[in-house]
Amino acid sequence: MRQRVWLMDTTLRDGEQTPGVAFCPQEKALLARRLAEAGVHEIETGVPAMGEDEQETIARIVKLNLPTRVTTWNRAVISDLEASLNCGVRSVAICLPSSDQQITQKLRQSRQWVLDQMGACVRRAKAEGLYVVIGLEDASRADPQFLIQLGLEAERLKVNRLRISDTLGILDPIRTFNLFDRLTSSLSIPLEIHAHNDLGMATANTVSAIQAGAKAASVTVCGLGERAGNAPLEEVALALRQCCAADTRINLALLPALCRLVSWSTRRPIPFSKPVVGRDAFTHASSIHVDGLNKDRSNYEAYPPEYVGRRHRIAFGKYSGRKLLAELLKAQGHDLDQEEMTQLLLNVRQLSQVLKRPLRQHDIVDLIFGETSAQRDMRA
């Protein structure tokens, strides 16, 4: 059987902490619907302690009765939990610092205070019959033995899941695997990885944690999040399928549209080369690659683009060869001799350097019959 992995999306909370990103209530409701349709296991909708407007937005999402768990983010204080209860949620994430650095230098408290606050908040939440996630902030810099102590206490308190946060994004895949291997060997509570991307390894670290025994992963659409962002939903879902044969229940074919919606809502364009959903993720420019792809897609295909509702594209430009151009021209009803083809190749390369984009078919056909508008621009 394939390993079952839960993906917990925090686009509406951690993603909204991206500088300049703020969703209006209608956008949050729409994104929550699309996330549920895509198959995420849980949606972290916001921070009720921010005030009545945030509480009203979250309550609106709760009333949608989506087929996924709806949860909120809370500090380890009772007033935050009361604000969450006002929203009607039946699940809460309670965040506590776990590193000595943050316990002593941010909160001016002690390890015992962390244990006491966790106990008080969990008991209050469980008295209301809530599903409880304990999030251990800055766990990647914490004493592993203290993480185990916190995990054992969470088990005693009947906490449902323990979130291990690489808050500063400082882990690498090997250290991530070793940390989660140690924790899963010592604890029975399901573990979640919450990875940040400061060193560009959020997706890789998330996969490593799952390989070491974590049951859940925290993600955001397009990798939104503070600083360099979080582990992207679209990358993690695909990577877990390909690298771990994991079952995330995510409808991969819906991810491109979901990412476009988030891109539009945040006014943040999707990079052309972004894995899975970028414009050029399945675009081939090198003549060598195109020839190999045409002979057998497995020559240059990491996974079928149809998995994510995409298809291969061929880009014409500087690295297009004679064979590719000849096939294009033949389809257009044109046949060039060797000398004409040599000149065309030269013109294609020159035009590519000016336009800084893939050439379109009409660009190449125009090169055969005369000066294009782009060439006039070049001469001017």
Side-chain angles (χ1 to χ4, degrees):
M1 294 180 62
R2 296 173 64 188
Q3 178 185 5
R4 177 74 170 98
V5 177
W6 307 323
L7 292 189
M8 339 303 297
D9 188 273
T10 183
T11 302
L12 303 184
R13 196 277 299 177
D14 212 348
E16 201 175 33
Q17 292 174 209
T18 304
V21 171
F23 299 115
C24 69
Q26 294 81 4
E27 288 171 334
K28 276 203 168 187
L30 176 59
L31 287 170
R33 288 194 191 96
R34 295 296 180 263
L35 286 164
E37 290 171 2
V40 298
H41 184 78
E42 181 176 294
I43 302 172
E44 195 170 65
T45 53
V47 184
M50 289 178 62
E52 290 185 5
D53 56 341
E54 183 79 348
Q55 292 174 31
E56 290 172 2
T57 299
I58 295 170
R60 179 177 179 174
I61 295 173
V62 172
K63 291 177 182 177
L64 295 175
N65 294 315
L66 299 172
T68 186
R69 182 179 294 124
V70 174
T71 190
T72 57
W73 186 94
N74 306 266
R75 296 166 298 178
V77 291
I78 299 299
S79 60
D80 277 27
L81 294 177
E82 298 295 345
S84 285
L85 289 169
N86 289 340
C87 302
V89 295
R90 304 305 301 160
S91 174
V92 291
I94 302 170
C95 184
L96 289 150
S98 58
S99 67
D100 289 333
Q101 170 68 34
Q102 291 203 357
I103 293 170
T104 62
Q105 301 304 312
K106 185 176 80 167
L107 298 185
R108 308 293 192 222
Q109 296 290 351
S110 65
R111 289 185 178 185
Q112 187 58 51
W113 178 90
V114 173
L115 289 163
D116 293 342
Q117 285 299 111
M118 180 172 71
C121 289
V122 172
R123 284 189 288 271
R124 177 70 182 93
K126 285 298 180 181
E128 298 292 335
L130 301 183
Y131 183 99
V132 177
V133 178
I134 288 294
L136 299 182
E137 186 179 13
D138 204 23
S140 49
R141 294 195 296 173
D143 175 0
Q145 197 56 45
F146 184 51
L147 295 179
I148 293 172
Q149 183 181 358
L150 287 166
L152 291 172
E153 180 63 9
E155 290 177 357
R156 189 185 71 79
L157 293 166
K158 307 300 182 184
V159 170
N160 299 89
R161 194 170 75 245
L162 191 65
R163 176 179 294 166
I164 304 300
S165 299
D166 181 18
T167 304
L168 300 185
I170 60 173
L171 288 177
D172 61 60
I174 294 175
R175 291 173 60 204
T176 300
F177 185 94
N178 290 339
L179 173 61
F180 276 83
D181 185 53
R182 179 172 179 179
L183 294 176
T184 54
S185 298
S186 304
L187 302 170
S188 59
I189 187 171
L191 300 182
E192 172 189 339
I193 170 70
H194 180 92
H196 279 263
N197 203 38
D198 295 73
L199 298 180
M201 291 188 279
T203 297
N205 289 340
T206 299
V207 172
S208 286
I210 298 301
Q211 290 172 329
K215 301 298 183 184
S218 207
V219 294
T220 61
V221 179
C222 294
L224 289 180
E226 291 199 59
R227 306 184 312 277
N230 293 33
L233 164 63
E234 60 280 4
E235 294 181 22
V236 169
L238 200 285
L240 289 176
R241 184 195 189 286
Q242 295 302 106
C243 300
C244 306
D247 177 14
T248 63
R249 307 289 170 88
I250 296 296
N251 186 336
L252 299 176
L254 295 181
L255 295 180
L258 176 59
C259 289
R260 289 194 298 270
L261 176 61
V262 169
S263 173
W264 179 86
S265 299
T266 59
R267 307 299 187 266
R268 296 168 67 91
I270 298 173
F272 288 170
S273 59
K274 192 177 193 315
V276 185
V277 296
R279 188 193 73 177
D280 293 340
F282 302 99
T283 300
H284 307 266
S286 166
S287 185
I288 295 174
H289 285 217
V290 172
D291 180 64
L293 190 72
N294 287 336
K295 290 174 179 174
D296 186 335
R297 284 173 48 161
S298 295
N299 284 328
Y300 289 101
E301 182 179 81
Y303 60 91
E306 291 80 8
Y307 283 176
V308 291
R310 304 284 304 278
R311 61 184 179 83
H312 288 293
R313 294 174 59 247
I314 306 302
F316 296 97
K318 182 177 180 179
Y319 285 93
S320 296
R322 290 175 179 270
K323 183 177 180 180
L324 180 61
L325 290 176
E327 290 175 353
L328 167 64
L329 296 175
K330 183 177 181 180
Q332 299 286 329
H334 304 294
D335 187 17
L336 303 188
D337 60 29
Q338 286 290 86
E339 183 178 346
E340 290 172 326
M341 182 61 74
T342 298
Q343 185 59 49
L344 177 62
L345 279 170
L346 178 60
N347 291 341
V348 164
R349 291 167 184 169
Q350 290 176 339
L351 188 57
S352 297
Q353 293 170 31
V354 173
L355 296 183
K356 308 298 184 185
R357 64 161 173 78
L359 300 188
R360 303 182 178 97
Q361 292 187 13
H362 71 78
D363 293 324
I364 297 172
V365 174
D366 286 347
L367 286 172
I368 301 173
F369 295 104
E371 188 176 57
T372 66
S373 60
Q375 285 178 307
R376 288 192 291 272
D377 292 340
M378 287 168 55
R379 186 162 45 78

